[in-house]
Amino acid sequence: RPDGERIVSGEVDWAVNSGAEAFVRLRDGRFLVIPESGGEGLIYPADPVTGAAPSTFTYTPSERGFGITDAKQLPDGRLMLIVRKVVYGLPPFDARIALARVPEPDEPQIMKAMIALDLATLVPRENYEGLALRERADGAVDVWLISDDNMSVMQRTLLAKLRFDPSAGEALPHKQ
């Protein structure tokens, strides 16, 4: 059963149908919240339910029209994001994997995502909304993606497993 809640509607100016889409507990104990449409994100210094005031940052989508659907922290500290946009076609989605650096308190509070992979090059186009990561003994990361069929005959629920080599993404946002 729930043992607490935090209503953020008075703390942010997010669009009605574009609220918190990615919620990540960072390794350092902070909590990161990113709205689907981009714009203002929140970083809580500790559990948001305890009442701690968040700092804000600006999240800039990797490409125009792409909204975030999920995020997880990689072992090296960067974030891996699923971003997608609605397109005209069947299925009506384009999805990408992007990488971003979490802003540190003493830095400009800007998070810019950069595309690492167009998912259509490896998996069927679909409404990917879930992401799970597992570090491997060889330093690579298993990346699990899940799509949502939205109970529509035009969409599917798919589960895909990819392998990410963190050294292959060295040119993408990385903690200094």
Side-chain angles (χ1 to χ4, degrees):
R1 66 180 170 77
D3 66 356
E5 69 179 11
R6 174 81 175 249
I7 308 295
V8 298
S9 58
E11 301 176 42
V12 295
D13 186 25
W14 293 340
V16 174
N17 191 28
S18 187
E21 191 74 13
F23 185 79
V24 182
R25 182 172 189 189
L26 301 171
R27 286 191 174 85
D28 63 8
R30 295 180 297 159
F31 287 77
L32 180 87
V33 184
I34 306 172
E36 183 174 8
S37 62
E40 181 183 55
L42 303 173
I43 300 178
Y44 290 90
D47 184 342
V49 174
T50 64
S55 60
T56 61
F57 65 94
T58 301
Y59 168 72
T60 305
S62 49
E63 292 182 45
R64 184 174 170 84
F66 278 83
I68 187 168
T69 62
D70 202 4
K72 297 292 182 275
Q73 191 170 33
L74 288 162
D76 65 13
R78 292 178 293 175
L79 290 182
M80 179 175 280
L81 316 168
I82 300 176
V83 296
R84 64 124 206 260
K85 75 175 179 177
V86 177
V87 296
Y88 296 103
L90 291 176
F93 297 99
D94 257 346
R96 313 258 195 277
I97 295 289
L99 298 176
R101 254 184 11 89
V102 177
E104 296 297 327
D106 57 342
E107 299 176 335
Q109 297 298 290
I110 298 170
M111 180 187 292
K112 171 79 173 147
M114 295 178 69
I115 297 298
L117 176 66
D118 179 348
L119 287 172
T121 64
L122 292 177
V123 295
R125 281 184 42 212
E126 202 43 83
N127 181 27
Y128 292 99
E129 291 191 341
L131 176 67
L133 305 178
R134 184 185 69 156
E135 190 172 5
R136 297 164 47 117
D138 64 2
V141 177
D142 288 332
V143 177
W144 289 90
L145 304 169
I146 191 163
S147 67
D148 179 5
D149 70 2
N150 289 310
M151 299 187 337
S152 167
V153 296
M154 305 303 282
Q155 294 175 247
R156 301 167 287 183
T157 296
L158 301 175
L159 181 63
K161 180 182 175 187
L162 307 175
R163 181 177 175 270
F164 175 71
D165 179 353
S167 66
E170 285 297 321
L172 297 166
H174 201 281
K175 190 166 183 150
Q176 301 300 324

